[in-house]
């Protein structure tokens, strides 16, 4: 709806939505909210329709409204890095807790806000990093998650070339393929 309404209506919708969200958070006595740091680069090389959607998205305004509302309601706001949050959530938490990809990513962001590191699970460690797995090391650095992500994407690419569509499968299914 934000793409099709006038700018003053968009501002009103954003303001009311943020207000409702923060009031909902307050109902649960939450005193800290974490959001991801995102950078939206302006890319006007797409179609007119896509350019309009990108231009009218008003990411900065949404972020400002969240910051202001949290300040007014005396709620702490933490901005955390979004690197690999969807992928880590899918690999670690989606199956374990029965979450959607978005919920699992939100869990990763919340854990980052609390300064938890995301170590690579043992089943992935043994499969992709056997030397480190034998030594019993706990890999927490994002550079290792980047390697896992590249491995995962390469498997998806191979399967796609074979004509296999694999959307919605849990991460463990890919590990079974390699083992």
């Amino acid at each position: 709806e934000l793409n099709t309404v006038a700018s003053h209506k968009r501002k009103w919708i954003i303001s009311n939505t943020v207000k409702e969200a923060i009031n909902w958070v307050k109902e649960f006595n939450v005193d800290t909210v974490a959001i991801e740091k995102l950078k939206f680069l302006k890319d006007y090389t797409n179609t007119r329709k896509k350019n309009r959607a990108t231009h009218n998205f008003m990411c900065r305004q949404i972020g400002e409204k969240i910051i202001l509302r949290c300040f007014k309601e005396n709620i702490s706001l933490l901005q955390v890095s979004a690197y690999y949050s969807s992928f880590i959530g899918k690999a670690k938490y989606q199956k374990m807790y029965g979450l959607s990809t978005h919920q699992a990513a939100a869990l990763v962001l919340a854990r980052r806000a609390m300064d938890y590191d995301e170590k690579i699970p043992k089943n992935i460690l043994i499969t992709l990093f056997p030397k480190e797995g034998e030594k019993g090391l706990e890999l927490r650095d994002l550079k290792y998650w980047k390697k896992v992500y590249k491995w995962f994407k390469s498997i998806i690419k191979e399967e796609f070339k074979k004509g296999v569509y694999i959307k919605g499968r849990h991460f463990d299914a890919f590990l079974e393929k390699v083992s």
Side-chain angles (χ1 to χ4, degrees):
E1 184 181 359
L2 287 177
N3 295 340
T4 59
V5 296
S7 63
H8 67 280
K9 176 80 171 180
R10 263 193 306 275
K11 289 177 183 178
W12 182 85
I13 291 170
I14 291 168
S15 182
N16 282 343
T17 304
V18 168
K19 184 177 180 178
E20 287 176 21
I22 297 300
N23 287 339
W24 179 79
V25 165
K26 282 179 59 180
E27 287 177 18
F28 295 96
N29 295 322
V30 173
D31 60 358
T32 305
V33 172
I35 60 174
E36 58 186 33
K37 281 190 256 182
L38 290 176
K39 295 179 184 174
F40 289 96
L41 302 175
K42 291 186 178 180
D43 179 17
Y44 295 108
T45 59
N46 298 315
T47 64
R48 275 182 66 194
K49 187 175 181 180
K50 204 166 192 179
N51 286 342
R52 178 180 164 89
T54 305
H55 180 72
N56 290 336
F57 185 64
M58 300 182 140
C59 181
R60 190 177 90 218
Q61 186 177 7
I62 293 170
E64 288 172 357
K65 291 289 183 191
I66 292 171
I67 291 167
L68 286 171
R69 180 55 58 181
C70 285
F71 180 75
K72 286 179 183 177
E73 301 293 340
N74 202 25
I75 295 176
S76 300
L77 181 70
L78 300 172
Q79 289 187 325
V80 294
S81 168
Y83 291 120
Y84 301 110
S85 57
S86 295
F87 179 71
I88 294 170
K90 184 176 180 105
K92 288 185 72 173
Y93 302 115
Q94 186 176 24
K95 186 176 180 183
M96 184 188 307
Y97 297 118
L99 302 173
S100 71
T101 303
H102 305 296
Q103 291 167 329
L107 178 58
V108 172
L109 293 174
R111 288 176 53 83
R112 281 186 189 165
M114 295 186 291
D115 282 334
Y116 287 113
D117 290 327
E118 295 295 345
K119 66 180 180 181
I120 294 179
K122 287 181 183 177
N123 58 349
I124 299 173
L125 189 67
I126 291 167
T127 305
L128 299 180
F129 306 103
K131 290 179 186 175
E132 291 85 347
E134 287 176 13
K135 293 177 185 176
L137 297 176
E138 292 183 348
L139 303 181
R140 301 172 186 268
D141 198 329
L142 280 178
K143 71 180 179 182
Y144 293 105
W145 278 110
K146 184 177 183 178
K147 291 178 182 180
V148 175
Y149 179 77
K150 285 182 176 181
W151 168 81
F152 180 71
K153 286 298 179 187
S154 70
I155 287 183
I156 289 177
K157 202 178 224 182
E158 288 173 23
E159 294 295 313
F160 185 75
K161 286 178 183 176
K162 295 176 188 173
V164 179
Y165 185 66
I166 53 178
K167 184 175 178 162
R169 289 183 33 201
H170 286 291
F171 192 82
D172 293 346
F174 297 100
L175 289 175
E176 291 168 8
K177 256 182 133 25
V178 174
S179 300

